[in-house]
Amino acid sequence: MNQKTLVFAKPDGTVRRYAGARLVKAFIDSGFSFEFFGEIKPNRNFMSGKHYVQYADKPFFRPTIEFVTSSPIVTMIVVGEDVVSRIRKMIGPTFSDQAPFDTLRGRYGLYKGVNLCHASDEESAEKEVKMWMDEVIALDKNKDYNKLASEYVKKYIDFQTIDVMRYRELIKDMLDKKIRVEDLKIEMFSLIKKESDFDEDTIQLTTENIINNILS
Ligand code: ADP
């Protein structure tokens, strides 16, 4: 069945350019096409009041909203045969550090809910595509979104990258109290900076929100 799904690279998968390029490349290599592809910054009210509203009473809700709005995010409407279940399978389970290494979250997500990307599930795909098209995405008929996705991959696929295990090691050291939260912040900022072409303020904000998310 030909379907559409909403996917976005979360800030850990956008600011870390190689991780984002790998995500997009996986979709291109699977033969999917893009009805939209672009880097956008949805506002906090949309993310809290619409996209993640079902989690409003969960302890991870606020940190998740702050995290996903801490940088622009690479946003996609992906089209293809059984695309919803196929992409859910490709990204793997929710927690990056527990996801198998042959899944995108297992390989590129940082830790726990800092997990590279969002992808609609079977229940939510139709609703999310409509909601994002109505309220966040502005389609431009003059743009070739498949070409933009390919160009993104070409630009970032050989970008500097840091082994995800290094981040997980540092996070574990912090959780085991071998290093302080402040030390992790400094170290993670400098690692992400190596992987990114974003400005320092965005990297700083994303780093802080990644850590708050892990601690939530
Ligand atoms: P998925 O993104 O795999 O569909 P959910 O829909 O259950 O997962 O949750 C949405 C997002 O909320 C997750 O991707 C993750 O970022 C965050 N999240 C969910 N559960 C937790 C949790 N227990 N602790 C921290 N963050 C969580």
Side-chain angles (χ1 to χ4, degrees):
M1 187 181 32
N2 209 45
Q3 294 177 314
K4 293 180 193 178
T5 191
L6 169 87
V7 181
F8 58 82
K10 291 182 182 179
D12 62 317
T14 298
V15 173
R16 292 166 52 239
R17 290 300 196 180
Y18 173 84
R22 278 281 153 198
L23 177 72
V24 180
K25 186 175 187 299
F27 300 156
I28 294 173
D29 290 350
S30 298
F32 301 141
S33 56
F34 297 83
E35 192 170 301
F36 176 79
F37 182 92
E39 207 166 86
I40 48 185
K41 200 165 190 283
N43 71 40
R44 209 187 245 105
N45 286 347
F46 175 81
M47 293 311 274
S48 61
K50 296 273 173 83
H51 184 80
Y52 280 130
V53 69
Q54 73 268 36
Y55 299 120
D57 58 351
K58 300 282 187 206
F60 61 82
F61 178 66
R62 274 291 140 204
T64 298
I65 300 301
E66 292 305 315
F67 164 54
V68 295
T69 55
S70 69
S71 79
I73 49 180
V74 175
T75 304
M76 303 159 246
I77 303 288
V78 191
V79 185
E81 195 69 17
D82 296 324
V83 70
V84 178
S85 63
R86 285 170 66 196
I87 287 185
R88 289 288 296 186
K89 201 163 163 218
M90 285 162 74
I91 69 171
T94 304
F95 287 170
S96 309
D97 52 309
Q98 290 163 24
F101 212 60
D102 61 354
T103 64
L104 291 160
R105 281 171 163 173
R107 197 175 279 263
Y108 307 111
L110 289 192
Y111 196 84
K112 245 178 126 183
V114 182
N115 55 9
L116 182 74
C117 63
H118 165 83
S120 311
D121 59 21
E122 290 284 354
E123 247 171 66
S124 62
E126 216 173 305
K127 194 181 90 203
E128 286 185 1
V129 168
K130 183 171 177 348
M131 199 163 76
W132 279 69
M133 291 290 245
D134 286 349
E135 299 187 42
V136 186
I137 291 170
L139 277 184
D140 181 344
K141 284 201 198 86
N142 298 316
K143 282 191 174 159
D144 177 346
Y145 292 113
N146 291 312
K147 189 163 168 245
L148 290 179
S150 297
E151 284 170 359
Y152 189 90
V153 172
K154 203 166 166 206
K155 183 168 178 187
Y156 292 119
I157 200 68
D158 294 316
F159 220 64
Q160 167 80 33
T161 181
I162 301 289
D163 185 348
V164 78
M165 296 315 287
R166 180 63 189 134
Y167 288 101
R168 293 182 191 169
E169 211 170 73
L170 287 165
I171 291 163
K172 191 166 180 305
D173 283 350
M174 182 274 288
L175 293 172
D176 291 346
K177 301 199 180 332
K178 287 184 186 151
I179 60 170
R180 296 175 311 152
V181 175
E182 278 313 307
D183 300 328
L184 175 64
K185 228 174 250 180
I186 293 163
E187 191 70 26
M188 192 181 278
F189 171 81
S190 82
L191 292 181
I192 295 179
K193 199 163 166 320
K194 288 183 187 165
E195 293 196 88
S196 192
D197 57 0
F198 273 84
D199 60 279
E200 288 199 354
D201 286 351
T202 302
I203 296 171
Q204 186 74 43
L205 191 64
T206 296
T207 304
E208 280 169 16
N209 280 293
I210 286 172
I211 295 173
N212 290 343
N213 204 277
I214 288 161
L215 290 170
S216 72

